[in-house]
Short mmCIF file of all heavy atoms in Angstrom, two decimals:
data_model
loop_
_atom_site.label_atom_id
_atom_site.label_comp_id
_atom_site.label_asym_id
_atom_site.label_seq_id
_atom_site.Cartn_x
_atom_site.Cartn_y
_atom_site.Cartn_z
N LYS Y 1 0.82 -1.21 0.00
CA LYS Y 1 0.01 0.00 0.00
C LYS Y 1 0.86 1.25 0.00
O LYS Y 1 0.46 2.27 -0.54
CB LYS Y 1 -0.95 -0.02 1.18
CG LYS Y 1 -2.00 -1.10 1.06
CD LYS Y 1 -3.11 -0.90 2.03
CE LYS Y 1 -4.06 -2.07 1.90
NZ LYS Y 1 -5.37 -1.68 1.55
N ASP Y 2 2.06 1.20 0.59
CA ASP Y 2 2.94 2.36 0.59
C ASP Y 2 3.46 2.65 -0.80
O ASP Y 2 3.69 3.81 -1.16
CB ASP Y 2 4.13 2.14 1.53
CG ASP Y 2 3.68 2.04 2.98
OD1 ASP Y 2 2.60 2.57 3.31
OD2 ASP Y 2 4.41 1.41 3.77
N GLU Y 3 3.67 1.64 -1.62
CA GLU Y 3 4.22 1.80 -2.96
C GLU Y 3 3.15 1.96 -4.02
O GLU Y 3 3.47 2.14 -5.19
CB GLU Y 3 5.07 0.58 -3.32
CG GLU Y 3 6.26 0.36 -2.42
CD GLU Y 3 6.96 -0.94 -2.77
OE1 GLU Y 3 6.50 -1.64 -3.70
OE2 GLU Y 3 7.95 -1.25 -2.12
N ALA Y 4 1.88 1.91 -3.66
CA ALA Y 4 0.80 1.88 -4.62
C ALA Y 4 0.45 3.26 -5.18
O ALA Y 4 -0.64 3.44 -5.69
CB ALA Y 4 -0.43 1.22 -4.01
N ALA Y 5 1.33 4.21 -5.12
CA ALA Y 5 1.07 5.54 -5.68
C ALA Y 5 0.93 5.44 -7.20
O ALA Y 5 1.52 4.58 -7.83
CB ALA Y 5 2.21 6.49 -5.31
N PHE Y 6 0.15 6.34 -7.75
CA PHE Y 6 -0.08 6.34 -9.19
C PHE Y 6 1.21 6.67 -9.93
O PHE Y 6 1.90 7.62 -9.60
CB PHE Y 6 -1.16 7.37 -9.54
CG PHE Y 6 -1.46 7.44 -11.00
CD1 PHE Y 6 -2.20 6.46 -11.60
CD2 PHE Y 6 -1.00 8.50 -11.77
CE1 PHE Y 6 -2.48 6.51 -12.96
CE2 PHE Y 6 -1.28 8.57 -13.12
CZ PHE Y 6 -2.01 7.57 -13.71
N ASP Y 7 1.50 5.86 -10.94
CA ASP Y 7 2.71 6.06 -11.74
C ASP Y 7 2.31 6.56 -13.12
O ASP Y 7 1.82 5.79 -13.96
CB ASP Y 7 3.49 4.74 -11.83
CG ASP Y 7 4.80 4.88 -12.57
OD1 ASP Y 7 5.20 6.02 -12.88
OD2 ASP Y 7 5.43 3.84 -12.83
N ARG Y 8 2.50 7.84 -13.36
CA ARG Y 8 2.11 8.44 -14.63
C ARG Y 8 2.88 7.85 -15.80
O ARG Y 8 2.36 7.67 -16.90
CB ARG Y 8 2.31 9.95 -14.57
CG ARG Y 8 1.79 10.67 -15.78
CD ARG Y 8 1.95 12.17 -15.62
NE ARG Y 8 1.03 12.72 -14.66
CZ ARG Y 8 -0.20 13.16 -14.97
NH1 ARG Y 8 -0.62 13.09 -16.20
NH2 ARG Y 8 -0.97 13.66 -14.04
N ALA Y 9 4.15 7.50 -15.59
CA ALA Y 9 4.97 6.93 -16.65
C ALA Y 9 4.43 5.55 -17.06
O ALA Y 9 4.40 5.23 -18.26
CB ALA Y 9 6.42 6.83 -16.21
N GLU Y 10 4.01 4.77 -16.10
CA GLU Y 10 3.45 3.45 -16.41
C GLU Y 10 2.15 3.60 -17.19
O GLU Y 10 1.89 2.86 -18.14
CB GLU Y 10 3.20 2.66 -15.12
CG GLU Y 10 2.64 1.28 -15.34
CD GLU Y 10 3.60 0.36 -16.06
OE1 GLU Y 10 4.83 0.54 -15.97
OE2 GLU Y 10 3.13 -0.59 -16.75
N PHE Y 11 1.33 4.57 -16.81
CA PHE Y 11 0.09 4.84 -17.53
C PHE Y 11 0.40 5.24 -18.97
O PHE Y 11 -0.24 4.77 -19.91
CB PHE Y 11 -0.68 5.96 -16.83
CG PHE Y 11 -1.93 6.38 -17.54
CD1 PHE Y 11 -3.08 5.62 -17.46
CD2 PHE Y 11 -1.95 7.51 -18.32
CE1 PHE Y 11 -4.23 5.99 -18.11
CE2 PHE Y 11 -3.10 7.90 -18.99
CZ PHE Y 11 -4.23 7.14 -18.88
N SER Y 12 1.39 6.08 -19.16
CA SER Y 12 1.77 6.53 -20.49
C SER Y 12 2.27 5.36 -21.34
O SER Y 12 1.91 5.25 -22.53
CB SER Y 12 2.85 7.61 -20.39
OG SER Y 12 3.23 8.05 -21.66
N ARG Y 13 3.09 4.49 -20.76
CA ARG Y 13 3.59 3.30 -21.50
C ARG Y 13 2.44 2.40 -21.89
O ARG Y 13 2.39 1.89 -23.02
CB ARG Y 13 4.59 2.54 -20.65
CG ARG Y 13 5.97 3.14 -20.60
CD ARG Y 13 6.97 2.21 -19.96
NE ARG Y 13 6.68 2.00 -18.55
CZ ARG Y 13 7.13 2.77 -17.56
NH1 ARG Y 13 7.89 3.82 -17.83
NH2 ARG Y 13 6.84 2.50 -16.31
N LEU Y 14 1.50 2.19 -20.99
CA LEU Y 14 0.36 1.33 -21.27
C LEU Y 14 -0.50 1.90 -22.39
O LEU Y 14 -0.89 1.19 -23.31
CB LEU Y 14 -0.47 1.14 -20.00
CG LEU Y 14 -1.67 0.22 -20.11
CD1 LEU Y 14 -1.22 -1.20 -20.47
CD2 LEU Y 14 -2.44 0.21 -18.80
N PHE Y 15 -0.75 3.19 -22.34
CA PHE Y 15 -1.54 3.84 -23.37
C PHE Y 15 -0.83 3.80 -24.72
O PHE Y 15 -1.45 3.55 -25.76
CB PHE Y 15 -1.83 5.29 -22.97
CG PHE Y 15 -2.89 5.94 -23.82
CD1 PHE Y 15 -4.22 5.65 -23.61
CD2 PHE Y 15 -2.53 6.81 -24.82
CE1 PHE Y 15 -5.19 6.25 -24.40
CE2 PHE Y 15 -3.49 7.40 -25.61
CZ PHE Y 15 -4.83 7.12 -25.39
N SER Y 16 0.48 3.98 -24.70
CA SER Y 16 1.26 3.89 -25.95
C SER Y 16 1.21 2.49 -26.54
O SER Y 16 1.13 2.32 -27.76
CB SER Y 16 2.71 4.28 -25.69
OG SER Y 16 2.80 5.64 -25.37
N ARG Y 17 1.23 1.50 -25.69
CA ARG Y 17 1.15 0.11 -26.17
C ARG Y 17 -0.20 -0.16 -26.80
O ARG Y 17 -0.29 -0.80 -27.86
CB ARG Y 17 1.41 -0.86 -25.02
CG ARG Y 17 1.42 -2.27 -25.50
CD ARG Y 17 1.85 -3.24 -24.44
NE ARG Y 17 1.71 -4.59 -24.95
CZ ARG Y 17 1.44 -5.63 -24.22
NH1 ARG Y 17 1.32 -5.50 -22.93
NH2 ARG Y 17 1.31 -6.81 -24.76
N VAL Y 18 -1.26 0.31 -26.16
CA VAL Y 18 -2.61 0.13 -26.73
C VAL Y 18 -2.69 0.79 -28.09
O VAL Y 18 -3.18 0.20 -29.05
CB VAL Y 18 -3.69 0.70 -25.77
CG1 VAL Y 18 -5.05 0.78 -26.46
CG2 VAL Y 18 -3.79 -0.14 -24.52
N ARG Y 19 -2.16 1.99 -28.19
CA ARG Y 19 -2.20 2.71 -29.46
C ARG Y 19 -1.40 1.95 -30.53
O ARG Y 19 -1.84 1.83 -31.68
CB ARG Y 19 -1.62 4.10 -29.27
CG ARG Y 19 -1.66 4.93 -30.51
CD ARG Y 19 -1.18 6.33 -30.25
NE ARG Y 19 -1.29 7.09 -31.48
CZ ARG Y 19 -0.65 8.22 -31.69
NH1 ARG Y 19 0.14 8.72 -30.78
NH2 ARG Y 19 -0.81 8.85 -32.83
N SER Y 20 -0.24 1.46 -30.18
CA SER Y 20 0.60 0.73 -31.12
C SER Y 20 -0.08 -0.55 -31.61
O SER Y 20 -0.10 -0.84 -32.82
CB SER Y 20 1.94 0.38 -30.48
OG SER Y 20 2.70 -0.43 -31.32
N GLU Y 21 -0.65 -1.30 -30.69
CA GLU Y 21 -1.31 -2.56 -31.07
C GLU Y 21 -2.53 -2.29 -31.93
O GLU Y 21 -2.74 -2.99 -32.94
CB GLU Y 21 -1.72 -3.34 -29.80
CG GLU Y 21 -0.56 -3.83 -28.96
CD GLU Y 21 0.28 -4.86 -29.67
OE1 GLU Y 21 -0.21 -5.58 -30.56
OE2 GLU Y 21 1.48 -4.95 -29.32
N CYS Y 22 -3.30 -1.30 -31.59
CA CYS Y 22 -4.49 -0.96 -32.41
C CYS Y 22 -4.07 -0.48 -33.79
O CYS Y 22 -4.69 -0.84 -34.79
CB CYS Y 22 -5.33 0.09 -31.69
SG CYS Y 22 -6.13 -0.52 -30.20
N SER Y 23 -3.02 0.32 -33.85
CA SER Y 23 -2.54 0.81 -35.14
C SER Y 23 -2.10 -0.32 -36.03
O SER Y 23 -2.36 -0.31 -37.24
CB SER Y 23 -1.39 1.79 -34.93
OG SER Y 23 -1.83 2.95 -34.30
N SER Y 24 -1.41 -1.31 -35.46
CA SER Y 24 -0.94 -2.41 -36.29
C SER Y 24 -2.13 -3.22 -36.84
O SER Y 24 -2.08 -3.67 -37.99
CB SER Y 24 0.01 -3.32 -35.50
OG SER Y 24 -0.65 -3.96 -34.45
N VAL Y 25 -3.19 -3.37 -36.07
CA VAL Y 25 -4.37 -4.09 -36.56
C VAL Y 25 -5.05 -3.29 -37.67
O VAL Y 25 -5.47 -3.84 -38.69
CB VAL Y 25 -5.35 -4.39 -35.40
CG1 VAL Y 25 -6.66 -4.93 -35.92
CG2 VAL Y 25 -4.73 -5.37 -34.43
N VAL Y 26 -5.17 -1.97 -37.48
CA VAL Y 26 -5.81 -1.13 -38.49
C VAL Y 26 -4.99 -1.11 -39.78
O VAL Y 26 -5.55 -1.24 -40.88
CB VAL Y 26 -6.01 0.31 -37.94
CG1 VAL Y 26 -6.44 1.26 -39.04
CG2 VAL Y 26 -7.05 0.30 -36.83
N LEU Y 27 -3.69 -0.96 -39.67
CA LEU Y 27 -2.83 -0.97 -40.86
C LEU Y 27 -2.86 -2.31 -41.57
O LEU Y 27 -2.84 -2.38 -42.80
CB LEU Y 27 -1.40 -0.61 -40.47
CG LEU Y 27 -1.15 0.83 -40.04
CD1 LEU Y 27 0.27 1.00 -39.54
CD2 LEU Y 27 -1.45 1.78 -41.17
N ASP Y 28 -2.93 -3.39 -40.80
CA ASP Y 28 -2.99 -4.73 -41.38
C ASP Y 28 -4.27 -4.91 -42.21
O ASP Y 28 -4.24 -5.56 -43.25
CB ASP Y 28 -2.91 -5.77 -40.28
CG ASP Y 28 -2.49 -7.13 -40.81
OD1 ASP Y 28 -1.50 -7.19 -41.58
OD2 ASP Y 28 -3.13 -8.13 -40.42
N ALA Y 29 -5.36 -4.31 -41.74
CA ALA Y 29 -6.62 -4.45 -42.47
C ALA Y 29 -6.60 -3.70 -43.80
O ALA Y 29 -7.38 -4.02 -44.71
CB ALA Y 29 -7.77 -3.92 -41.60
N GLU Y 30 -5.70 -2.73 -43.94
CA GLU Y 30 -5.62 -1.95 -45.18
C GLU Y 30 -4.74 -2.62 -46.23
O GLU Y 30 -4.74 -2.20 -47.38
CB GLU Y 30 -5.08 -0.56 -44.86
CG GLU Y 30 -6.01 0.26 -43.98
CD GLU Y 30 -5.41 1.56 -43.54
OE1 GLU Y 30 -4.20 1.79 -43.76
OE2 GLU Y 30 -6.14 2.37 -42.94
N LYS Y 31 -3.99 -3.65 -45.84
CA LYS Y 31 -3.06 -4.31 -46.78
C LYS Y 31 -3.79 -5.32 -47.65
O LYS Y 31 -4.78 -5.92 -47.25
CB LYS Y 31 -1.96 -5.03 -46.00
CG LYS Y 31 -1.06 -4.09 -45.25
CD LYS Y 31 -0.02 -4.88 -44.49
CE LYS Y 31 0.90 -3.95 -43.73
NZ LYS Y 31 1.90 -4.71 -42.95
N LYS Y 32 -3.25 -5.54 -48.84
CA LYS Y 32 -3.80 -6.57 -49.72
C LYS Y 32 -3.50 -7.95 -49.18
O LYS Y 32 -4.30 -8.87 -49.30
CB LYS Y 32 -3.22 -6.43 -51.12
CG LYS Y 32 -3.70 -5.23 -51.86
CD LYS Y 32 -3.14 -5.17 -53.25
CE LYS Y 32 -3.64 -3.95 -54.00
NZ LYS Y 32 -3.11 -3.86 -55.34
N ARG Y 33 -2.31 -8.10 -48.59
CA ARG Y 33 -1.91 -9.38 -48.00
C ARG Y 33 -1.55 -9.13 -46.52
O ARG Y 33 -0.40 -8.87 -46.18
CB ARG Y 33 -0.71 -9.97 -48.75
CG ARG Y 33 -1.08 -10.31 -50.18
CD ARG Y 33 0.09 -10.86 -50.94
NE ARG Y 33 0.56 -12.09 -50.33
CZ ARG Y 33 1.72 -12.66 -50.59
NH1 ARG Y 33 2.54 -12.09 -51.45
NH2 ARG Y 33 2.08 -13.77 -50.00
N PRO Y 34 -2.54 -9.22 -45.63
CA PRO Y 34 -2.30 -8.93 -44.21
C PRO Y 34 -1.30 -9.91 -43.58
O PRO Y 34 -1.24 -11.08 -43.96
CB PRO Y 34 -3.68 -9.06 -43.58
CG PRO Y 34 -4.62 -9.39 -44.63
CD PRO Y 34 -3.90 -9.58 -45.91
N LEU Y 35 -0.57 -9.41 -42.60
CA LEU Y 35 0.39 -10.26 -41.89
C LEU Y 35 -0.23 -11.07 -40.78
O LEU Y 35 0.20 -12.18 -40.48
CB LEU Y 35 1.51 -9.38 -41.30
CG LEU Y 35 2.37 -8.62 -42.30
CD1 LEU Y 35 3.31 -7.70 -41.55
CD2 LEU Y 35 3.15 -9.58 -43.17
N PHE Y 36 -1.25 -10.51 -40.12
CA PHE Y 36 -1.83 -11.14 -38.93
C PHE Y 36 -3.13 -11.87 -39.18
O PHE Y 36 -3.78 -12.31 -38.24
CB PHE Y 36 -2.03 -10.08 -37.84
CG PHE Y 36 -0.78 -9.33 -37.50
CD1 PHE Y 36 -0.66 -7.99 -37.82
CD2 PHE Y 36 0.29 -9.96 -36.90
CE1 PHE Y 36 0.49 -7.28 -37.50
CE2 PHE Y 36 1.44 -9.27 -36.59
CZ PHE Y 36 1.55 -7.93 -36.89
N SER Y 37 -3.53 -12.00 -40.44
CA SER Y 37 -4.80 -12.65 -40.78
C SER Y 37 -4.61 -13.51 -42.04
O SER Y 37 -3.66 -13.32 -42.79
CB SER Y 37 -5.88 -11.61 -41.05
OG SER Y 37 -6.06 -10.80 -39.93
N LYS Y 38 -5.55 -14.42 -42.23
CA LYS Y 38 -5.48 -15.29 -43.41
C LYS Y 38 -5.78 -14.54 -44.70
O LYS Y 38 -5.20 -14.79 -45.74
CB LYS Y 38 -6.48 -16.44 -43.26
CG LYS Y 38 -6.14 -17.39 -42.15
CD LYS Y 38 -7.17 -18.49 -42.05
CE LYS Y 38 -6.88 -19.40 -40.88
NZ LYS Y 38 -7.91 -20.42 -40.72
N ASP Y 39 -6.73 -13.60 -44.60
CA ASP Y 39 -7.12 -12.83 -45.79
C ASP Y 39 -7.60 -11.45 -45.37
O ASP Y 39 -7.65 -11.12 -44.18
CB ASP Y 39 -8.20 -13.57 -46.58
CG ASP Y 39 -9.43 -13.90 -45.74
OD1 ASP Y 39 -9.56 -13.37 -44.62
OD2 ASP Y 39 -10.26 -14.68 -46.21
N GLY Y 40 -7.94 -10.64 -46.36
CA GLY Y 40 -8.36 -9.26 -46.09
C GLY Y 40 -9.66 -9.19 -45.29
O GLY Y 40 -9.82 -8.31 -44.46
N ALA Y 41 -10.57 -10.11 -45.55
CA ALA Y 41 -11.85 -10.08 -44.84
C ALA Y 41 -11.68 -10.34 -43.35
O ALA Y 41 -12.30 -9.67 -42.51
CB ALA Y 41 -12.80 -11.12 -45.45
N SER Y 42 -10.83 -11.29 -42.99
CA SER Y 42 -10.62 -11.56 -41.57
C SER Y 42 -9.83 -10.42 -40.92
O SER Y 42 -10.03 -10.12 -39.73
CB SER Y 42 -9.91 -12.89 -41.36
OG SER Y 42 -8.63 -12.89 -41.96
N ALA Y 43 -8.96 -9.75 -41.67
CA ALA Y 43 -8.23 -8.60 -41.14
C ALA Y 43 -9.20 -7.45 -40.84
O ALA Y 43 -9.09 -6.78 -39.82
CB ALA Y 43 -7.14 -8.15 -42.11
N VAL Y 44 -10.16 -7.23 -41.74
CA VAL Y 44 -11.16 -6.20 -41.53
C VAL Y 44 -12.04 -6.56 -40.33
O VAL Y 44 -12.41 -5.70 -39.52
CB VAL Y 44 -11.99 -6.00 -42.81
CG1 VAL Y 44 -13.21 -5.12 -42.55
CG2 VAL Y 44 -11.13 -5.39 -43.90
N ALA Y 45 -12.37 -7.84 -40.19
CA ALA Y 45 -13.18 -8.28 -39.05
C ALA Y 45 -12.43 -8.05 -37.74
O ALA Y 45 -13.03 -7.61 -36.74
CB ALA Y 45 -13.56 -9.75 -39.20
N LYS Y 46 -11.12 -8.31 -37.74
CA LYS Y 46 -10.31 -8.05 -36.54
C LYS Y 46 -10.29 -6.56 -36.22
O LYS Y 46 -10.40 -6.16 -35.07
CB LYS Y 46 -8.89 -8.57 -36.72
CG LYS Y 46 -8.75 -10.05 -36.62
CD LYS Y 46 -7.30 -10.47 -36.77
CE LYS Y 46 -7.15 -11.98 -36.75
NZ LYS Y 46 -5.75 -12.37 -36.86
#
């Protein structure tokens, strides 16, 4: 409980990670041959 103070840097890192992961999914859906999906339709669904 003494160490449980809010860490703004940790919050910032977490938010940056969410943004990065979401961006990679969105960019993948725009590709003709997605890296993280079998085809374009499943990339768009993701």
Side-chain angles (χ1 to χ4, degrees):
K1 293 194 183 239
D2 295 335
E3 298 175 359
F6 180 75
D7 183 9
R8 186 177 289 271
E10 181 65 27
F11 176 79
S12 180
R13 282 190 294 272
L14 183 61
F15 193 77
S16 293
R17 183 173 175 211
V18 168
R19 183 176 182 198
S20 173
E21 294 295 333
C22 291
S23 293
S24 65
V25 171
V26 169
L27 291 174
D28 200 47
E30 295 173 351
K31 295 179 180 178
K32 289 183 180 180
R33 296 179 62 195
L35 297 174
F36 304 112
S37 301
K38 294 179 183 177
D39 56 13
S42 62
V44 169
K46 284 182 183 181

